[in-house]
Amino acid sequence: MRLLIVGGAGFLGGELARQALAAGHTVAATFMTRPGAAPGVAWSPLDVRDREAVAELVGALAPDVVVNAAHRKADWTATADGAAHVALAVAAAGGRLVHVSSDAVFSGEAVTYAEDRVPDPISPYGAAKAAAEVAVRAIVPGAVVVRTSLIVGDGRSGHESFVRALATGRKQGVLFTDDVRCPVHVEDLAAARLVRGRRADMDVPGPLDVRLDCAATQRCLRTRLRGAREFLRRS
């Protein structure tokens, strides 16, 4: 599988690249200022705020899957418009899109939030991430939107570095005792994917498209044969 990680030089992007390479996939990734450290990755500089540059890169690479992990907390254009640019590029080139969002799209008023909860952000960053979700869902309805909380991992995340800096006096600040979140380990988040591919691209014999017309059989039966969409939806 050909995978493109937009924002691959970041904490999550780097772990995604590492695991994808270990699984035998072909990995390309983008960076804003400098490439990541993962060997075997085809690195490309990319500013997601540049719609034409995003479209050109995605079109040239033609990846099977694009993971958008790019964001800049203080930059609406990079976070919101950039996500729309990536979605437009995927819609034009084809392939699957996985968009990494954030729990910042919620205000905290409801305390517990299910996957289908409508965003109600109260911060500029949360508003940008919510706008990004709207754009992605509108442009690529089949995209996967992943809302995650604080990403940590064996002392390597920015959050963990900040806590150590506070503890050693290298930075001034406070840790809020009433700020409740759901941290996730970067390795678990990167691994939380379903492996997929195309039979046509693999040496596995079998028919590609077989659709049974059971109308005659159904007329002879008292039992109604449900389609997969129906019984999966009800389960």
Side-chain angles (χ1 to χ4, degrees):
M1 181 177 71
R2 300 184 305 276
L3 175 68
L4 171 61
I5 305 171
V6 180
F11 184 45
L12 174 59
E15 180 61 24
L16 282 168
R18 185 189 70 80
Q19 292 194 24
L21 286 168
H25 301 301
T26 300
V27 181
T30 73
F31 64 93
M32 182 65 175
T33 56
R34 60 182 182 274
V41 175
W43 291 100
S44 298
L46 181 67
D47 185 342
V48 293
R49 296 172 296 184
D50 187 335
R51 176 177 172 178
E52 291 184 1
V54 175
E56 182 178 353
L57 180 65
V58 174
L61 294 177
D64 299 306
V65 177
V66 175
V67 179
N68 180 26
H71 72 282
R72 300 182 73 179
K73 282 197 172 182
D75 190 334
W76 174 283
T77 306
T79 302
D81 294 356
H85 296 163
V86 173
L88 286 167
V90 173
R96 293 275 290 172
L97 173 60
V98 177
H99 174 73
V100 180
S101 188
S102 167
D103 62 355
V105 301
F106 299 126
S107 68
E109 183 177 350
V111 181
T112 301
Y113 291 86
E115 287 92 340
D116 58 354
R117 183 81 180 202
V118 176
D120 61 338
I122 58 174
S123 69
Y125 175 64
K129 292 298 271 187
E133 286 191 9
V134 172
V136 167
R137 293 184 188 279
I139 298 168
V140 185
V144 176
V145 175
V146 181
R147 292 171 176 163
T148 184
S149 189
L150 304 180
I151 305 175
V152 299
D154 303 327
R156 296 178 287 129
S157 76
H159 305 295
E160 293 162 286
S161 297
F162 178 67
V163 171
R164 288 197 301 271
L166 289 179
T168 57
R170 289 183 287 110
K171 284 188 177 181
Q172 298 297 315
V174 297
L175 293 178
F176 301 120
T177 58
D178 57 347
D179 192 346
V180 180
R181 307 286 289 279
C182 295
V184 60
H185 196 286
V186 66
E187 293 180 5
D188 297 340
L189 182 59
R193 64 186 186 276
L194 295 177
V195 179
R196 63 185 295 273
R198 286 165 37 93
R199 181 185 291 272
D201 297 333
M202 304 176 69
D203 187 21
V204 180
L208 293 180
D209 194 340
V210 178
R211 311 182 190 199
L212 299 178
D213 183 348
C214 301
T217 301
Q218 183 65 79
R219 287 193 293 269
C220 300
L221 298 176
R222 295 181 180 178
T223 301
R224 187 175 67 85
L225 304 177
R226 297 174 296 162
R229 289 187 177 88
E230 181 180 352
F231 61 70
L232 288 174
R233 183 174 61 248
R234 295 185 61 182
S235 62

